[in-house]
Amino acid sequence: MPSLFDPIRFGAFTAKNRIWMAPLTRGRATRDHVPTEIMAEYYAQRASAGLIISEATGISQEGLGWPYAPGIWSDAQVEAWLPITQAVHDAGGLIFAQLWHMGRMVPSNVSGMQPVAPSASQAPGLGHTYDGKKPYDVARALRLDEIPRLLDDYEKAARHALKAGFDGVQIHAANGYLIDEFIRDSTNHRHDEYGGAVENRIRLLKDVTERVIATIGKERTAVRLSPNGEIQGTVDSHPEQVFIPAAKMLSDLDIAFLGMREGAVDGTFGKTDQPKLSPEIRKVFKPPLVLNQDYTFETAQAALDSGVADAISFGRPFIGNPDLPRRFFEKAPLTKDVIETWYTQTPKGYTDYPLLGD
Ligand SMILES: Cc1cc2nc3c(=O)[nH]c(=O)nc-3n(C[C@H](O)[C@H](O)[C@H](O)COP(=O)(O)O)c2cc1C
């Protein structure tokens, strides 16, 4: 069985190890969602990851509702991403852009418009806005005649990602955002060909993935799912009935890899008693499977040893430890990330975590 330090082939690439950086929203772009210089330093510091998956990046104004998160729909955004992807490549790394449409989680205070979702609904809790945390807006149902425009937005974002120097993209279909809201039955009450039966609920995921593949190639196209447990009010009553067919469909499309965040009863990012589906998904999904959430060096290696995963992505450990692979290799202690600076707009808690030997 491979070690976490062994290379792995995926799509058009070979990653130098199986310790990947999970997508992490950090809010260091401008208010207009243009990336900033400091993001080049941050990502280059983490280029020893086998693959960096970027923070979720808006495909359109409509789809982006996180203050100071980056987008990739405008030429100015593409320009500003270029030095960041260049810095990662100069440091010997690979980087995919995570493409994001937040669906009903977009506060109108950030996007300037009413959010869209599969069905009219309001997410529970409070969203981050430019005026502090506020209740989510009531989203309107996306009309059938708007889906071609949505697919065009994904196409443009994928094309822009390559223009901006990214090696590929990961379609964000997890965590209660638009595509996940279509997949799961808590948020999809449609009666057209995008609602009801399983094949209908996974149709948007299929359409988007096919469009991105047609634009940049299957070897540069990845997907992220979060099959088990509720997140941000989105949950499925029978996850295995929808996510196993979804994974099979993605395997048939031969995407570069599938990332999955899986909750657990004792999870610290998603807590749930719905069982993990990775063992079942492994049976139907042939390309590399990259698992995430609450992994340590030991449990990550155990997941590779059991054959359930081909690589593991680490989120919070990569915030506090830019040199995470080296720390794992040397069995060095890890620095704990500071929650208070996850989403602030300064270098503090962003680019100032120490490297081993500092
Ligand atoms: C600060 C922060 C930002 C995050 N942003 C994203 C994101 O942009 N896209 C995404 O898919 N997941 C995001 N996540 C989830 C992480 O990718 C990951 O699933 C989570 O941290 C659990 O993995 P870990 O236990 O290795 O930290 C975020 C998590 C944190 C803590």
Side-chain angles (χ1 to χ4, degrees):
M1 280 298 162
S3 133
L4 283 168
F5 303 105
D6 286 339
I8 178 169
R9 292 181 58 86
F10 69 101
F13 308 96
T14 301
K16 56 185 174 274
N17 62 46
R18 294 157 189 250
I19 302 162
W20 291 12
M21 180 170 162
L24 293 161
T25 292
R26 302 301 312 275
R28 261 73 175 184
T30 67
R31 201 174 161 130
D32 293 339
H33 308 295
V34 177
T36 57
E37 265 176 47
I38 196 179
M39 291 164 59
E41 185 183 351
Y42 165 79
Y43 280 114
Q45 286 172 341
R46 289 158 179 79
S48 63
L51 173 69
I52 294 173
I53 301 148
S54 82
E55 63 206 280
T57 297
I59 62 161
S60 61
Q61 187 87 52
E62 173 196 86
L64 185 52
W66 196 285
Y68 305 103
I72 197 152
W73 64 86
S74 75
D75 290 342
Q77 291 163 339
V78 171
E79 278 291 305
W81 273 114
L82 271 169
I84 301 169
T85 57
Q86 185 67 49
V88 170
H89 291 144
D90 289 348
L94 289 170
I95 182 165
F96 270 40
Q98 194 187 44
L99 300 188
W100 203 19
H101 189 305
M102 295 173 63
R104 68 177 187 162
M105 312 305 298
V106 177
S108 59
N109 164 296
V110 180
S111 69
M113 61 190 95
Q114 188 184 8
V116 297
S119 309
S121 68
Q122 183 177 22
L126 303 174
H128 293 260
T129 80
Y130 288 120
D131 302 320
K133 288 194 156 190
K134 300 259 185 236
Y136 287 102
D137 294 270
V138 177
R140 68 175 177 87
L142 190 72
R143 296 188 314 271
L144 203 53
D145 67 9
E146 291 178 285
I147 289 187
R149 188 262 305 156
L150 177 68
L151 298 179
D152 290 346
D153 289 344
Y154 275 99
E155 173 177 332
K156 183 175 182 186
R159 197 165 7 89
H160 277 183
L162 289 209
K163 218 172 146 192
F166 285 101
D167 297 296
V169 307
Q170 180 180 65
I171 298 160
H172 194 346
N175 297 353
Y177 298 113
L178 185 70
I179 299 176
D180 196 27
E181 291 161 13
F182 269 85
I183 297 173
R184 302 207 249 184
D185 60 11
S186 67
T187 35
N188 185 337
H189 305 124
R190 297 177 77 100
H191 299 292
D192 59 14
E193 62 257 46
Y194 288 88
V198 162
E199 76 223 67
N200 291 349
R201 283 187 281 134
I202 66 175
R203 192 180 305 282
L204 184 64
L205 173 65
K206 182 164 185 275
D207 287 354
V208 170
T209 308
E210 286 178 341
R211 180 65 79 87
V212 171
I213 287 175
T215 309
I216 62 170
K218 63 183 184 178
E219 67 284 355
R220 295 179 191 274
T221 303
V223 171
R224 187 176 219 210
L225 299 173
S226 53
N228 68 328
E230 188 214 309
I231 188 154
Q232 311 200 101
T234 296
V235 65
D236 198 81
S237 54
H238 299 91
E240 69 291 350
Q241 292 177 12
V242 63
F243 282 100
I244 295 171
K248 169 84 170 62
M249 176 271 289
L250 295 171
S251 185
D252 291 344
L253 292 176
D254 196 24
I255 59 171
F257 70 91
L258 173 62
M260 295 208 300
R261 185 193 64 76
E262 293 186 289
V265 259
D266 54 353
T268 63
F269 196 83
K271 213 185 260 307
T272 177
D273 54 11
Q274 287 188 341
K276 292 186 178 183
L277 288 180
S278 44
E280 294 306 311
I281 284 180
R282 169 88 282 184
K283 292 179 196 158
V284 302
F285 186 78
K286 301 302 168 207
L289 188 57
V290 183
L291 299 185
N292 166 261
Q293 195 183 296
D294 288 313
Y295 281 94
T296 62
F297 175 64
E298 288 74 20
T299 59
Q301 184 58 57
L304 264 54
D305 291 344
S306 74
V308 73
D310 300 296
I312 300 294
S313 73
F314 296 85
R316 291 160 293 177
F318 257 116
I319 294 180
N321 303 275
D323 51 357
L324 188 65
R326 179 171 172 208
R327 283 177 194 251
F328 281 162
F329 193 73
E330 297 191 12
K331 303 208 167 15
L334 298 187
T335 307
K336 174 96 187 76
D337 58 297
V338 178
I339 295 181
E340 289 72 23
T341 51
W342 276 0
Y343 306 125
T344 45
Q345 275 71 62
T346 72
K348 191 168 150 37
Y350 188 58
T351 47
D352 59 354
Y353 284 103
L355 300 172
L356 266 187
D358 270 1

